[in-house]
Amino acid sequence: SAVISQKPSRDICQRGTSLTIQCQVDSQVTMMFWYRQQPGQSLTLIATANQGSEATYESGFVIDKFPISRPNLTFSTLTVSNMSPEDSSIYLCSVGPDSHSYEQYFGPGTRLTVT
Amino acid sequence: AQTVTQSQPEMSVQEAETVTLSCTYDTSESDYYLFWYKQPPSRQMILVIRQEAYKQQNATENRFSVNFQKAAKSFSLKISDSQLGDAAMYFCALRSYGQNFVFGPGTRLSVLP
């Protein structure tokens, strides 16, 4: 299974500012995903990021608010822009499935608090 | 649309006992996979077990096993000999071929010493 790291692990930010979350994988992967998990809730997919193409956003999420970069097969960033307290959540990076497996693997998450 | 339902928001089990977490799902696809993920308080999601829909045999991983009832679209997780480290949120997930994962709302499991 892939080993995934995220930076930062947590942050407290002021409303109106932006935060960029980094996701690093120890192997090359085709598909990377960004999820939001609000307190006590399940996971909601924000977008799918494939290298070399624009990210695909799910309903309710827009590029201006959550710009994503995928410069290579081991790295991606998610920016949470113009933050409000409603953006306080855990943001999770995930990889897979690919031709070798069907499951997804998750990073440790970034806990964001917006004041 | 695909859906995953977990009807038990919270469960508790005595240490060393057995507990079963329920999951039902809905998909019109014939090629799909089912998963149970565990999220301890430290929040890293960990894959517990997976089941391919085309396999009739229930998957087993050490103390974890599933009861896969395809016709009923049911996929329960049994944890035997429960340990304190099993305390976590458990998410049932469905992935149909060519589609994104769909996660259930989760079941919070407490293990009582």
Side-chain angles (χ1 to χ4, degrees), chain A residues 56-70:
Chain A
T56 302
Y57 288 84
E58 298 298 305
S59 176
F61 298 96
V62 295
I63 188 172
D64 289 346
K65 176 69 174 177
F66 297 101
I68 288 171
S69 77
R70 182 78 198 276

Side-chain angles (χ1 to χ4, degrees), chain A residues 9-10 33 35 37 41-43 45 48 58 90 97 102-104 106-111, chain B residues 33 35 37 39 41-45 47 50 52 89 91 95 100-101 103-106 108:
Chain A
S9 59
R10 59 176 64 223
F33 305 87
Y35 287 86
Q37 186 179 25
Q41 303 296 311
S42 187
L43 282 71
L45 181 64
T48 303
E58 298 298 305
I90 296 171
Y102 303 100
E103 50 264 27
Q104 285 187 210
F106 291 85
T110 295
R111 183 181 293 276
Chain B
Y33 305 88
F35 306 88
Y37 282 88
Q39 189 178 40
S42 65
R43 81 175 175 271
Q44 176 127 29
M45 294 273 284
L47 177 65
R50 78 172 195 190
E52 292 88 339
M89 282 289 287
F91 293 98
R95 180 201 168 230
N100 290 323
F101 269 63
F103 289 88
R108 183 176 301 280

